[in-house]
Amino acid sequence: MIFEVKNVDCGYGSTRILRDISLSIESGGILCLLGPNGVGKTTLFKSMLGFLKLKAGNVFVNGENIDAWSIKKIARTIGYVPQVHTPPFPFTVLDVVTMGRVAHMGLFGTPSQKDINVAENALERLGISDFRDRIYTEISGGERQMVLIARALAQNPKILIMDEPTANLDFGNQIRVLTQIKALAADGMAIIMTSHFPDHAFLCSTEVALLKRDSSLIVGIAENVVTEENLKAAYGVDIRIIRECIGGNDWLKSCVPVLS
Ligand SMILES: Nc1ncnc2c1ncn2[C@@H]1O[C@H](COP(=O)(O)OP(=O)(O)OP(=O)(O)O)[C@@H](O)[C@H]1O
């Protein structure tokens, strides 16, 4: 499975937010999209998923242009974890996660026992089965984030697009989610995620795309993209990359801001 974004322009109305964006990810890969607030990461995601009409370029899955695909076919193939939202109705957590099965349901759109089992397994996998019967609108932002990730797992897509999956999460849950993301990729999923923490690129990405304000994109492995120079150019602040040898040729790397 290969997911490719080729020469895409996207934006709203007559405003182009991003121009000539190209990137790709294969099964087992994790592409971490970094960039400052308002640069266009969510806009790119919505455009890749067909929620926003592309202004130029194309999106391909295994060489097939998804422009002609039905919404159901897109949803069976590509999962999306949006930034946390509050739905208008007080569904239970299990209901919200079961909604991830919609693209797999039959003509009448009623969840089967299998759909419910898949949803329960997704909650279990993330260690949040205790929330099963809680009302989604009455749990915390971080808990909702975990539920949205469970919903995407229940959807069982081949490609998973995650918009700031660790936003709102405490330190432990951030690590749990990053560990899950690595496990999903190891199972063969292709994952694209955004993060406001360049360290996450060191922790779990196979590739990084750093988006700058001028729409230019630096793509490559974390080692080459997450550098002090590139972070300064993208975020306008001084950052040191600290390296710690953890044995043999294995290094831990971390970004530390230099406050003036
Ligand atoms: N519905 C909309 N209509 C018009 N402009 C929009 C709309 N949504 C977002 N924008 C603008 O598009 C630009 C990119 O926004 P976007 O949400 O894609 O950025 P982002 O990189 O995801 O930001 P953040 O890191 O803060 O989530 C911003 O200038 C934003 O104000």
Side-chain angles (χ1 to χ4, degrees), residues 135-148:
I135 303 299
Y136 181 81
T137 45
E138 294 173 5
I139 59 177
S140 78
E143 291 165 346
R144 266 183 226 157
Q145 187 68 35
M146 297 293 275
V147 172
L148 290 180

Side-chain angles (χ1 to χ4, degrees), residues 6-259:
K6 286 193 178 167
N7 309 110
V8 158
D9 287 10
C10 53
Y12 305 90
S14 58
T15 309
R16 272 173 161 70
I17 302 290
L18 293 172
R19 290 172 190 275
D20 201 23
I21 298 294
S22 294
L23 42 86
S24 68
I25 187 79
E26 291 187 42
S27 297
I30 302 172
L31 175 70
C32 187
L33 178 62
L34 302 175
N37 286 133
V39 78
K41 301 178 295 296
T42 302
T43 306
L44 178 61
F45 279 1
K46 288 181 177 165
S47 306
M48 287 176 349
L49 288 155
F51 302 156
L52 278 175
K53 196 168 162 40
L54 297 177
K55 298 199 176 298
N58 294 289
V59 176
F60 300 94
V61 172
N62 283 342
E64 225 181 287
N65 192 333
I66 68 167
D67 194 34
W69 284 15
S70 66
I71 290 171
K72 197 162 182 170
K73 185 166 180 187
I74 292 177
R76 262 194 244 122
T77 311
I78 309 175
Y80 179 47
V81 179
Q83 290 182 15
V84 163
H85 74 305
T86 311
F89 301 110
F91 295 111
T92 66
V93 163
L94 184 62
D95 286 338
V96 171
V97 177
T98 306
M99 283 172 204
R101 299 296 302 161
V102 165
H104 299 274
M105 289 176 198
L107 192 58
F108 300 108
T110 324
S112 63
Q113 189 55 48
K114 185 188 164 210
D115 293 319
I116 293 167
N117 292 346
V118 170
E120 285 176 335
N121 287 342
L123 288 169
E124 175 101 37
R125 187 164 183 175
L126 290 172
I128 54 169
S129 296
D130 288 355
F131 294 160
R132 184 184 186 280
D133 299 317
R134 298 272 306 274
I135 303 299
Y136 181 81
T137 45
E138 294 173 5
I139 59 177
S140 78
E143 291 165 346
R144 266 183 226 157
Q145 187 68 35
M146 297 293 275
V147 172
L148 290 180
I149 294 169
R151 185 179 69 172
L153 295 193
Q155 192 177 334
N156 194 25
K158 297 187 172 54
I159 299 153
L160 185 55
I161 295 178
M162 310 176 93
D163 201 351
E164 293 183 42
T166 59
N168 299 305
L169 298 184
D170 69 41
F171 196 60
N173 277 340
Q174 283 188 32
I175 304 306
R176 270 174 218 113
V177 165
L178 293 179
T179 306
Q180 272 304 323
I181 290 172
K182 281 183 95 161
L184 291 172
D187 282 352
M189 213 179 260
I191 295 171
I192 305 182
M193 60 176 273
T194 58
S195 176
H196 282 305
F197 296 97
D199 279 345
H200 291 173
F202 286 131
L203 286 171
C204 72
S205 74
T206 52
E207 211 169 359
V208 186
L210 176 62
L211 194 49
K212 293 196 287 177
R213 292 241 177 255
D214 59 1
S215 235
S216 66
L217 199 57
I218 308 173
V219 184
I221 57 168
E223 175 85 13
N224 296 338
V225 176
V226 185
T227 64
E228 292 172 2
E229 298 73 26
N230 288 342
L231 294 177
K232 170 89 179 174
Y235 296 100
V237 290
D238 291 318
I239 291 168
R240 288 271 173 77
I241 310 279
I242 309 295
R243 292 158 57 96
E244 168 80 18
C245 184
I246 52 168
N249 286 330
D250 291 334
W251 290 81
L252 274 182
K253 291 177 116 193
S254 185
C255 304
V256 179
V258 181
L259 302 185

